[in-house]
Every structure is written in C-alpha cells, then in structure tokens.
Amino acid sequence: MHSCWVIYNGSLISDKFKDQAELVKEAAERVGVHAELKKNYEVMMDLASPLEKRPDFIVFLDKDILLAQFLKNAGIPVFNDPAVIETCDNKAKQYLELAKHDIPMPETLIAPKVYPKFTIKDSGYYERVLERLGLPMIIKEGHGSFGMKVYLIETEEQFYAKTDALRGVDFVFQKFIASSRGRDIRVNIVGGEIVAAMYRHSETDFRANITNGGVAEQIELTAEQKALAVRAAEAVGAEFAGVDLLFGENEEPLVCEVNAAAHIRNLYNVTGVNVADAMIAYILRKLG
C-alpha cells in the first residue's frame, strides 16, 4: 500500500488551503493510498539527521520551495518538482521560460533590479517602457496569488508611484489586453492532459479571479486554446498546472500565467470534475 504526504502552508489562516489539501487526501484514500496532511512547519528541515518517517510520494500544495527541495534531496518524489514551483512562483522567471518556448502571451518587459534605497527614475528607462506599452498597462509583482499584486496602471502618475514603490521587488510590465478585460479561462492540466476548464468573468474588476468577485461557468475549449494550455504547462515543466488564458484582439488565446499549485475547489464546484482524482492517478501511474 502506497503512502503519501499532502503538504500545505500552516501559516495561512484561510480555510481554502486546508480544503485543497483535504480534496487531495480524500482522492488518495479513495484509491487505497494512505495519505497524511502536513503543514509545512510540521516537517522539520533538520539537515544533520535523515527523515525518520518517509512517504512514497508527496503532493506539494505550497510555495515553501526550500522544504520541497529538502524533501526531494531526501529521495522522495515531489509533485510538482521544486524547480517548477520556483519558476511558477516568480512571474518574471515564469515569463522568461514561456518566452523561451515561444508561448503567445501579452507583450512583457521584465523590470531591471533596482536596490530599495536607489532609483533609476532619471535614466529614461521608464519613459521607454511607457512608449513601448502605452497606457493602460499592467504591472505584476513576481510573487502574488489570487490576482493580488497585479495592478492596472491608467495614468503616468500611477505608473511612477508604482515603480517607485516596487524598488527592490521583482516585477514585470505587461501590455493590457483590453479585449480580455474581466474575463479569462482557467485550464487544469495533469500530466499533459486537460482535466477540466472554466470560463471566469467579472463585471467589477479587470481581473476575473473568483477570489476578487468573478463568477465562473463551464466552457468548451477550442482546439487552439487546448493546444496552448498544454504547451504552456510543458514549457514550465509542470505536471500539475492551472493555466490562465486571456482573449486576444481576435479572440486568439494568450497565456496570462501558469499556476503550479492551482486551487481546484472552484473548478470542482463549476464542472463537477475533481482534479485531485486525476492527480493521484497520474502519480500512481508514474511511480508504477
């Protein structure tokens, strides 16, 4: 009988993180895998002594990349791989990877590193960004979930205030895709196969995230949307991925981002498909 750990972040007070872990634990138990929920701090990263109890595999639903790497170093299969979690956790890093694989996405400029106590305001760099992307534009911090730390910049004043506030932070500038304002598609992929998808839209926000008040419904994906979502997951090496697609000017799909620990409860509510079942089945096939 296989055993697994399902790891989530113990410092986050929202129930949605534990709920996500419960869904995966129940899916594992349905097929006879002994599953244990673990908060990330319940696994001591003691570098001097080996792990005493070891599961056969780990479903890692957190962004504690150091813990994921610690467990991988201990020889335990970790899903997703720590390198994938790290790539997806920093949007700037992720866009570099997507661009390397020619994945269609909004025009993106990665901001240069500026130390917090310094500025490049008088260098002419920011004027070039404004000239290239125009307003409105999107500024995204490297780290942020549920549509947080994504800003719609509509005036030059906002633009300079935000770039000033983000000194010392990884972030990107992106062309605003007006044709996709308040609407996107979430596609969940497991092992290169599409498991479920939903269309999300918001009347009140430029972002479609359900957390920010968006509503979702089932959608029949086009062949182009399917192919792009699968390619995007492959580009970042994600075995499990939630790929967010935008609608370009002629409705052609663009990749907004790839999530390595995508939440699956809303998708389950909307489509009736429990992605956790596919995740566990995929791992068991892979481990043989």
Side-chain angles (χ1 to χ4, degrees):
M1 182 173 168
H2 279 295
S3 66
C4 77
W5 289 352
V6 182
I7 293 180
Y8 68 104
N9 195 286
S11 71
L12 298 165
I13 49 174
S14 166
D15 288 340
K16 68 171 80 175
F17 299 97
K18 181 157 194 213
D19 174 61
Q20 169 96 335
E22 295 273 10
L23 281 173
V24 175
K25 177 180 191 274
E26 288 159 13
E29 286 172 344
R30 273 197 289 279
V31 291
V33 174
H34 175 70
E36 218 179 316
L37 290 189
K38 292 263 189 196
K39 296 179 171 129
N40 64 319
Y41 60 73
E42 291 175 337
V43 183
M44 183 71 78
M45 285 191 263
D46 179 350
L47 303 185
S49 51
L51 274 175
E52 282 176 22
K53 283 169 47 190
R54 311 161 59 88
D56 296 322
F57 65 90
I58 290 167
V59 182
F60 205 86
L61 302 176
D62 190 24
K63 295 180 177 180
D64 189 336
I65 296 152
L66 299 173
L67 175 58
Q69 190 63 50
F70 171 79
L71 293 164
K72 185 184 178 183
N73 290 356
I76 305 167
V78 179
F79 299 89
N80 279 306
D81 187 87
V84 172
I85 299 169
E86 187 165 20
T87 298
C88 292
D89 187 37
N90 184 335
K91 293 189 180 76
K93 203 168 178 179
Q94 178 185 142
Y95 291 131
L96 279 170
E97 209 53 42
L98 292 173
K100 187 169 109 182
H101 291 87
D102 296 321
I103 300 294
M105 59 189 186
E107 247 181 277
T108 303
L109 303 174
I110 295 178
K113 187 177 185 72
V114 175
Y115 287 93
K117 288 189 165 57
F118 298 90
T119 180
I120 56 167
K121 197 167 179 188
D122 301 323
S123 65
Y125 174 82
Y126 293 127
E127 286 73 11
R128 283 163 56 209
V129 172
L130 282 165
E131 200 178 313
R132 174 72 188 275
L133 298 179
L135 290 170
M137 81 167 73
I138 298 290
I139 287 181
K140 285 184 187 177
E141 292 187 40
H143 302 281
S145 306
F146 308 111
M148 313 289 271
K149 302 187 177 176
V150 175
Y151 313 102
L152 177 61
I153 305 295
E154 301 186 278
T155 65
E156 286 199 14
E157 192 181 24
Q158 282 178 332
F159 174 83
Y160 285 109
K162 187 53 74 183
T163 51
D164 198 48
L166 292 181
R167 286 178 296 174
V169 174
D170 287 346
F171 71 96
V172 304
F173 304 98
Q174 250 181 5
K175 193 171 185 65
F176 178 57
I177 307 301
S179 48
S180 200
R181 185 184 194 117
R183 61 192 190 117
D184 71 7
I185 296 172
R186 161 62 60 87
V187 186
N188 264 73
I189 292 170
V190 173
E193 303 280 328
I194 292 172
V195 179
M198 61 182 172
Y199 169 66
R200 307 185 294 189
H201 52 102
S202 171
E203 299 303 317
T204 55
D205 200 304
F206 71 95
R207 299 161 296 192
N209 304 67
I210 294 171
T211 310
N212 300 323
V215 279
E217 60 205 58
Q218 276 185 272
I219 184 172
E220 196 57 51
L221 297 174
T222 65
E224 200 183 358
Q225 287 163 344
K226 285 180 184 170
L228 180 56
V230 170
R231 275 181 60 211
E234 276 172 5
V236 297
E239 290 169 283
F240 306 154
V243 180
D244 293 341
L245 299 178
L246 300 174
F247 298 88
E249 272 181 32
N250 302 308
E251 295 292 280
E252 79 282 1
L254 299 170
V255 172
C256 176
E257 64 186 66
V258 182
N259 301 277
H263 278 250
I264 58 178
R265 170 63 72 185
N266 289 330
L267 195 68
Y268 186 19
N269 293 346
V270 169
T271 66
V273 176
N274 188 344
V275 176
D277 289 323
M279 290 161 71
I280 297 296
Y282 169 79
I283 292 172
L284 294 178
R285 279 199 309 274
K286 188 164 179 180
L287 298 181

